[in-house]
Amino acid sequence: MKDIKIKGEIIKMDFEQCYCQFAPLRARLVKEFEYLPHCELDDVKQLVDMNFYKAYINYNIERAEFITFAINYINWALKRLNRSHHAQKRQSYDIVVNSLNVFNDKCDSPTEFIEAITDNTDITENIILKLCLKNALNNLDETCVTANKLLMKKFKQQEVADILGVSQVQVSRFKHKFLAALKRELSA
């Protein structure tokens, strides 16, 4: 039995009584957090119940009303779980971007970049990569596309610059602009 403050009154309750008393609260919190993409509804119910029990155990009558304490305790636990899930997603995204940067640093032309990636992927990923390549090229201006197509045909940057009548630095910028667009497509 534990002293629980409800609407200003102090009531002695064991956990089962408290669990039944606050069933609508737990149902509301489950409904509020059912959006969690990495948890099924049963998992959310279980997390709410488990943290409700922890709130009951850790409740001190001098702190606040039990309902306030329980809501804050459960919200905090579920939001922390959601943040850790998103942190894991960010880490996996960073791994993809870093591996693309390693490929980019090793390659002189977009063709080498694409070949380096496609050598390390299966057929489905290869198709997705080609679609991303097409979308990346569609998002660039015509001169940039032409420069990158020439680079893909193994022309050197200075040769492309002479053909297009621009500087070699501009061709390098076209290459990096294309690679950035391709990375955006791949990460989307």
Side-chain angles (χ1 to χ4, degrees):
M1 297 291 271
K2 189 168 196 151
D3 289 338
I4 303 290
K5 189 189 282 187
I6 302 173
K7 295 182 182 176
E9 293 183 34
I10 299 173
I11 303 170
K12 286 202 175 286
M13 289 185 161
D14 63 5
F15 177 71
E16 287 184 27
Q17 293 169 330
C18 190
Y19 187 81
C20 293
Q21 174 78 24
F22 292 100
L25 166 71
R26 288 181 292 101
R28 190 191 81 186
L29 290 170
V30 167
K31 186 110 175 115
E32 186 178 324
F33 285 96
E34 70 184 355
Y35 72 89
L36 293 176
H38 53 284
C39 291
E40 293 184 21
L41 188 59
D42 290 339
D43 294 336
V44 174
K45 286 179 185 176
Q46 198 171 36
L47 286 167
V48 167
D49 287 346
M50 181 177 67
N51 285 295
F52 182 82
Y53 177 73
K54 288 179 182 178
Y56 176 80
I57 295 297
N58 294 320
Y59 177 68
N60 183 346
I61 198 163
E62 296 168 3
R63 289 187 178 173
E65 295 267 336
F66 178 76
I67 192 165
T68 304
F69 181 76
I71 288 171
N72 290 336
Y73 197 94
I74 294 167
N75 278 336
W76 179 79
L78 292 174
K79 286 178 180 176
R80 184 181 50 176
L81 174 72
N82 197 33
R83 275 194 310 273
S84 69
H85 170 72
H86 287 294
Q88 290 172 350
K89 281 175 46 179
R90 279 191 301 276
Q91 285 175 341
S92 62
Y93 171 76
D94 288 343
I95 290 168
V96 169
V97 170
N98 290 337
S99 64
L100 287 174
N101 286 336
V102 167
F103 282 126
N104 182 25
D105 293 341
K106 291 180 182 177
C107 303
D108 292 330
S109 71
T111 303
E112 289 179 30
F113 179 73
I114 292 165
E115 287 173 0
I117 293 174
T118 55
D119 288 345
N120 294 314
T121 58
D122 65 10
I123 294 170
T124 306
E125 290 175 348
N126 199 355
I127 292 168
I128 292 170
L129 180 63
K130 287 181 181 177
L131 289 172
C132 289
L133 174 64
K134 182 179 176 186
N135 290 340
L137 286 171
N138 287 339
N139 292 331
L140 301 175
D141 60 73
E142 190 175 325
T143 309
C144 186
V145 170
T146 305
N148 280 290
K149 285 183 178 180
L150 289 170
L151 288 170
M152 286 181 199
K153 292 180 181 177
K154 305 287 185 188
F155 282 87
K156 297 201 180 312
Q157 288 186 4
Q158 188 58 52
E159 294 170 335
V160 174
D162 293 339
I163 292 168
L164 296 176
V166 296
S167 69
Q168 182 272 327
V169 173
Q170 187 63 41
V171 173
S172 178
R173 288 182 183 145
F174 288 150
K175 173 189 158 194
H176 289 291
K177 191 175 182 181
F178 165 72
L179 293 173
L182 182 60
K183 287 177 189 176
R184 277 193 306 275
E185 287 295 323
L186 288 170
S187 65

